[in-house]
Every structure is written in C-alpha cells, then in structure tokens.
Amino acid sequence: MIDIRSAVLSAWEAAWDRGEVDRLDELMTVDFVRESADSGNRTDLAGHKREILEIRAAFPDLSTTIEKLIVDGDDFAIFWSTTGTFTNDLGEVPATGTTVHTRGSNQGVFRDGRIAFERVTWDQRSLLADLGVPSLRAAFESLPDDLVVDDLSGDYSREALKGFNRQFITGVTVVTTTDAEGKPRGLAANSYASVSLDPPLVLICVQKTSSTYPALFHSQHLGINILSTGQRDTLATFSSRDPDKFASVQWHEGPKGSPLLDGSSASIEAEIKERFQAKTHTVFIARVIHAEIADDVPIVYKAGRFFDGASLAEL
Ligand SMILES: Cc1cc2nc3c(=O)[nH]c(=O)nc-3n(C[C@H](O)[C@H](O)[C@H](O)COP(=O)(O)O)c2cc1C
C-alpha cells in the first residue's frame, strides 16, 4: 500500500519542477483523464505530460508549491501555486522575461491508489495578464473562447476611416526602449493616449512590422517623448527606419534606463503592464513611473502635416 500523500507530492514536484514527467506513471492510471473546469476540454496522460514539458520549456525555472492536499477516501483536492520566469517563447507568444505567479486547484478521484481523474481550476486570467498577452490560443488550445480576442477582421471602408482620422489632431511622440544588447531604439508615434490618472496609465499602438517592435515587446519599460517644435529633424529620423536613430540626437536615461530625448516638450518613463494584440499592431498599456515636463512648445499633427503648437487660436 503506497502512501498516497507522499506519492502525490513527490511525483508532482518531479514532473512540474524538474520535468521528470514519466514519474506521473506511478501516480496516474493508464486511462487518466484531466479536465479543464473552465473549458471542459479533456487531455489524457500523454497530453498532460506534453503540456508540462511545453510550459517548462517556456518557464525553465518553474517552481510549484503544494499549499494544501486534502485526501478523503477516494476523493482528493490539491491547492497549488506556481512561479516562473517567461524565458522562452510559448507557442507563438514571444517571451517577455517577466515573472509569473499563478495558482489553482485540482479535484479528483483515486482508483486503486492512483489518480484516475482530475478537474483543474486555475487562475488563467491572472497568468495571461502577467504574460501581457490575452490571446494564447496558439499556446493553449484548451483556453475557453471568452479568453481569446476576436479576430478583429472587418471590411469597413479604409478611405472613410482615413478621412475620420485626418480630422483628429494629435501631438507626435517618440516611443523608446533598449534592445537585448542595450542599444537604444525608438519610433515616431501619434497613437499615444492617456488611459487614466489613477492608476497612472498610458497607451501606445505600435505596428508589428516596425524594427523597434521586437525590442519593445520584450521590454519591461518604455519612454514616451512629446516632440517639440525644435525637434522637426528628430521627428524625421524617428519616422524612418534608420538603424542608428540615436546617433543624431541628445538623450539621457530615465530611472529604469529608457532613453528620454533632450529638447522634448515632455517625457515619461513607464512600466509596460499589458500587450494587447490588435492584428497588425500591439497596444501597449504602461504605468507611468517618471515624468519630465519642459517649456518647449509641442509639435501639432493633423492630416499628415505638422504645425507649431505655439500659434493655436483659442476658441
Ligand atoms: C506622425 C507620425 C505618427 C506615427 N504614428 C505611429 C504609431 O502610432 N504607431 C506606429 O507603429 N507607427 C507610427 N508611425 C510610423 C513609424 O514612425 C514609422 O513606421 C517608422 O519608420 C518606424 O520605425 P522602425 O521600423 O525603425 O521602428 C508614425 C509616423 C509618423 C510620421
């Protein structure tokens, strides 16, 4: 008669924390079924092993704590929490380097001393939020539909939308970050918007084909610089795909190392909190941690043209 409690703890730890998934053979019946409480999707033992190995490949330092194990006759419940660093891509989702915490519980039944069935409930939403990616269908086929963003396809008149956008007046920013080698990267963007003051959130939309995009996606922080009328050349540089845009500008680092451009009307550094997928673009939501406000007059942008923010007529 095996001690069921220690068998669960040691096989679980071996599989999840060391990748020794075959240890689950000691613990599960050959016809073991694992069911997601959210989606109702079912996997067998081989599928479960594959899932563990895929998750461990993305989070190599994965560490699981079994917080409580309740055994009542043939019924059991396990309450667990997991921590890991998102180091390698998971399916199509690029690694962010962020540390993820998630927790969940498994309820199930034993048959002849082995787990025959378990139903898993885990906090997918907090995990997805930590990953910064709401759509993980490619990585986890079993995600319920309400967690997967709409495919956003549509054929509304491109010209009409362009016409609408041309009536909208904005400033122009340069969004900055550093790449894996520590090299400063950035692009001109007018998609800046303030999301909320409390918490202090801002957003920016960046095209995935931008050469700055991979560095931005992998960054923890970004800089946003509102360009001033003295930075017309800087605007031209950062609207281009010049591989060394920072060679021609003066800049300094924010507290977390994001490049902030000297001579800007204002600059902020912010911690990236969300990366929402919107087809061709990613919407970055970031929490402001630092701001520098200057007197330099901002550039005004409308319908493809730039104007002097000092000569606006008040209504
Ligand atoms: C006024 C203006 C606003 C722009 N806004 C955005 C924007 O919000 N998001 C974006 O991805 N690109 C935007 N762009 C385009 C990028 O700046 C441009 O594609 C740039 O070449 C990208 O550089 P990169 O590929 O080196 O990153 C804008 C360009 C201009 C001139």
Side-chain angles (χ1 to χ4, degrees):
M1 175 71 185
I2 57 166
D3 172 1
I4 203 80
R5 190 175 285 273
S6 55
V8 169
L9 294 177
S10 77
W12 180 292
E13 189 196 22
W16 281 101
D17 290 0
R18 299 197 300 278
E20 296 165 15
V21 290
D22 289 338
R23 288 283 306 280
L24 296 178
D25 295 342
E26 305 161 11
L27 190 63
M28 274 81 171
T29 60
V30 282
D31 59 351
F32 164 80
V33 172
R34 179 178 162 99
E35 182 180 281
S36 159
D38 282 321
S39 67
N41 284 355
R42 291 179 157 218
T43 42
D44 60 11
L45 183 53
H48 180 40
K49 288 181 184 176
R50 267 199 309 278
E51 183 188 38
I52 293 174
L53 292 174
E54 278 166 20
I55 293 173
R56 282 195 46 79
F59 299 85
D61 61 347
L62 199 73
S63 156
T64 306
T65 307
I66 296 191
E67 290 170 354
K68 199 164 202 170
L69 169 60
I70 301 169
V71 179
D72 178 15
D74 280 343
D75 296 323
F76 72 88
I78 302 172
F79 297 85
W80 51 268
S81 64
T82 299
T83 301
T85 313
F86 190 15
T87 309
N88 299 308
D89 296 354
L90 182 60
E92 291 177 358
V93 182
T96 55
T98 44
T99 300
V100 164
H101 308 280
T102 188
R103 58 181 57 247
S105 62
N106 300 9
Q107 283 172 269
V109 287
F110 293 113
R111 196 177 66 227
D112 302 329
R114 289 172 190 251
I115 297 175
F117 172 79
E118 66 182 5
R119 181 175 291 115
V120 188
T121 308
W122 55 286
D123 187 357
Q124 291 162 326
R125 282 173 201 278
S126 80
L127 173 65
L128 298 176
D130 275 356
L131 292 180
V133 182
S135 171
L136 277 179
R137 186 182 280 291
F140 287 105
E141 295 273 326
S142 59
L143 277 184
D145 285 344
D146 66 346
L147 280 179
V148 178
V149 272
D150 192 318
D151 82 356
L152 304 180
S153 299
D155 56 6
Y156 185 72
S157 163
R158 185 186 162 97
E159 285 314 307
L161 180 54
K162 274 170 79 177
F164 181 85
N165 288 344
R166 288 171 73 81
Q167 294 288 44
F168 195 57
I169 294 174
T170 68
V172 192
T173 72
V174 166
V175 178
T176 61
T177 189
T178 49
D179 65 18
E181 281 81 49
K183 189 178 163 195
R185 306 295 309 249
L187 81 163
N190 74 329
S191 54
Y192 168 81
S194 165
V195 174
S196 61
L197 286 177
D198 186 12
L201 298 178
V202 297
L203 74 74
I204 199 84
C205 308
V206 179
Q207 194 158 14
K208 292 177 183 169
T209 53
S210 150
S211 75
T212 312
Y213 177 77
L216 208 48
F217 195 94
H218 287 93
S219 287
Q220 304 300 305
H221 297 91
L222 53 72
I224 304 176
N225 305 272
I226 298 178
L227 294 188
S228 70
T229 49
Q231 291 174 304
R232 190 65 185 79
D233 292 346
T234 303
L235 170 54
T237 303
F238 282 87
S239 318
S240 76
R241 288 178 74 93
D242 183 338
D244 198 7
K245 299 178 192 180
F246 286 80
S248 55
V249 296
Q250 300 289 316
W251 58 281
H252 59 282
E253 288 185 358
K256 293 291 181 184
S258 304
L260 303 180
L261 304 185
D262 297 357
S264 300
S265 293
S267 300
I268 52 175
E269 185 172 33
E271 182 185 358
I272 298 173
K273 292 300 210 182
E274 305 273 6
R275 299 167 181 81
F276 293 117
Q277 303 304 304
K279 282 286 190 192
T280 54
H281 286 64
T282 290
V283 183
F284 293 87
I285 307 272
R287 187 186 179 103
V288 178
I289 55 166
H290 173 75
E292 298 175 10
I293 320 295
D295 287 333
D296 304 75
V297 173
I299 290 175
V300 171
Y301 176 69
K302 179 180 185 291
R305 295 172 62 199
F306 302 101
F307 300 88
D308 185 341
S311 50
L312 301 177
E314 191 171 349
L315 290 179

